[in-house]
Amino acid sequence: MKRIFLTLAVAAGVLVGCQENSKEEVLPTQQAIDMSDFYLETEAPESRGGSEQCSSMRVLNAQLKENPGLYKKMYDVEYATRKFISLKKGGNGNGGGGNTGGGGGGTTPDNLGVINIPVYVHVVYSNNQQNISDAQIASQMTVLNDDFRKQNSDAGNTPSEFAGVAADAEITFSLAGTFRHSNSRADWGTTSAVKTTYPPVTPSTHLNIWVANIGGGILGYAQFPGGSLATDGVVCSPQYFGTTGYVSAPFNGGRTMTHEVGHYLNLRHIWGDGRCRQDDFVADTPASDAPNYGCPSYPTVNCKSNDMTMNYMDYTDDACMSMFSEGQKSRMRSIFAAGGARASMLN
């Protein structure tokens, strides 16, 4: 009997040790990776009287229900992201330690250089308007490159409070090809139907963008790192894509794609899709409890701090967005590091 108890005790000890190791790892700096605030499922903005412009989180919630293994994959992506940032900056990786934490500021080089992402655009149209021109596609590529390199002409609109953490993400985009598909379907919704009808091309090495009418007032949606390659990429309605041609104000500045590509590169909405205690895992984006709309005046106060309403990951009008933060830059670039969720794009 004693031998049985001893065996059970040893097994229990191994199990507990494995569980602890799955949650945190002590780094050479003796800083552990804190995953205690990690979450995936969220509430929709309309539950608090708002409107949903981006369906990325709703799509993620649906994918989590359809694929039980997705949570673990995304947990691992987040763990690797925090570990990379912690090793680079000496924090705990969860964005909770101010500008010395994993999601805070700082300009320590990560040795990845300027990252270029090749892009395939799939234009899916049911009428001539939706069959957007090459010029409209080119205008969107210009916006992506300007925004992610902090070359946007409105960068100077960032208030002084946040100007010090406004970042050049050192990420560029190059058009690798355009595919055009005529289809009588009026709208495609957010079930990834357009992606499965017209599958992504080499998604492990290319960003695939589908320009197709979503409907329901949704501007766009993206898939986060860790999801299936069969549906990897970004969808945007044609009237919110680019700056010229078939575009609709106030989302005619190409920022819908800047926002959605941010999700594709592992950024959350800056309000954390929850209340003040729910975070976007970035220390230099102040806490907020809801999205902002239109062109809010500065300062806009939520959760006892000024909202970064001009951040690309909010819901404000295109003309009122102007920045990513240094913490967001670190998160995006971490997924291209060795072993990262999108490292294959650099090979």
Side-chain angles (χ1 to χ4, degrees):
M1 183 64 71
K2 180 182 289 188
R3 181 174 298 175
I4 293 174
F5 282 139
L6 180 60
T7 302
L8 290 174
V10 171
V14 171
L15 177 59
V16 170
C18 289
Q19 289 175 336
E20 289 178 350
N21 288 338
S22 70
K23 293 180 180 179
E24 64 177 31
E25 175 181 331
V26 177
L27 303 176
T29 58
Q30 299 303 307
Q31 294 285 344
I33 301 299
D34 180 5
M35 295 291 289
S36 62
D37 64 340
F38 180 70
Y39 70 94
L40 286 177
E41 293 199 32
T42 56
E43 62 181 33
E46 58 266 31
S47 67
R48 284 172 282 160
S51 61
E52 184 180 60
Q53 296 172 184
C54 161
S55 275
S56 295
M57 298 309 294
R58 183 185 295 276
V59 170
L60 175 58
N61 287 347
Q63 290 177 334
L64 288 166
K65 293 178 180 177
E66 295 166 2
N67 179 5
L70 180 57
Y71 182 93
K72 177 61 165 60
K73 289 182 178 179
M74 293 192 67
Y75 182 100
D76 290 344
V77 170
E78 183 63 24
Y79 183 93
T81 294
R82 297 185 185 198
K83 181 178 179 181
F84 173 84
I85 295 172
S86 292
L87 287 170
K88 188 163 75 80
K89 297 183 178 178
N92 63 10
N94 73 340
N99 285 346
T100 60
T107 57
T108 304
D110 54 24
N111 300 316
L112 294 173
V114 176
I115 298 166
N116 182 69
I117 299 176
V119 178
Y120 285 127
V121 175
H122 306 257
V123 180
V124 183
Y125 61 94
S126 63
N127 57 51
N128 289 334
Q129 277 187 318
Q130 293 176 3
N131 187 18
I132 61 172
S133 66
D134 289 343
Q136 186 168 342
I137 295 171
S139 73
Q140 181 61 76
M141 297 299 297
T142 296
V143 172
L144 285 173
N145 281 302
D146 287 348
D147 287 351
F148 279 81
R149 288 306 317 267
K150 199 186 172 186
Q151 297 296 314
N152 48 305
S153 61
D154 51 4
N157 296 341
T158 302
S160 59
E161 177 185 5
F162 302 125
V165 296
D168 169 7
E170 297 183 272
I171 297 173
T172 62
F173 303 83
S174 56
L175 184 63
T178 301
F179 306 93
R180 297 181 181 273
H181 309 282
S182 175
N183 192 303
S184 61
R185 182 164 175 167
D187 57 66
W188 291 89
T190 59
T191 63
S192 295
V194 70
K195 298 178 180 181
T196 54
T197 303
Y198 304 104
V201 179
T202 56
S204 61
T205 56
H206 290 68
L207 162 60
N208 281 254
I209 298 171
W210 291 263
V211 184
N213 191 51
I214 299 171
I218 302 300
L219 280 61
Y221 64 94
Q223 180 169 292
F224 289 89
S228 170
L229 285 178
T231 53
D232 200 21
V234 177
V235 181
C236 182
S237 285
Q239 63 269 42
Y240 311 123
F241 188 86
T243 62
T244 188
Y246 178 49
V247 291
S248 178
F251 306 112
N252 56 345
R255 264 58 193 272
T256 294
M257 280 304 307
T258 301
H259 177 106
E260 299 303 341
V261 172
H263 285 314
Y264 173 84
L265 298 178
N266 207 29
L267 296 186
R268 304 292 186 94
H269 292 133
I270 61 164
W271 68 96
D273 293 274
R275 302 290 180 171
C276 292
R277 294 182 180 180
Q278 197 141 307
D279 193 38
D280 64 348
F281 309 142
V282 180
D284 60 12
T285 58
S288 184
D289 68 345
N292 293 284
Y293 299 92
C295 281
S297 59
Y298 173 83
T300 296
V301 181
N302 275 298
C303 305
K304 300 180 181 181
S305 61
N306 296 334
D307 276 8
M308 193 182 279
T309 61
M310 67 296 308
N311 193 284
Y312 296 126
M313 302 312 294
D314 205 343
Y315 272 4
T316 53
D317 294 349
D318 283 13
C320 300
M321 295 179 165
S322 61
M323 65 170 288
F324 288 118
S325 75
E326 286 288 345
Q328 289 173 319
K329 171 183 178 177
S330 294
R331 280 188 65 82
M332 289 190 285
R333 293 177 64 80
S334 70
I335 63 173
F336 295 99
R342 299 205 184 280
S344 59
M345 286 189 161
L346 301 189
N347 299 327

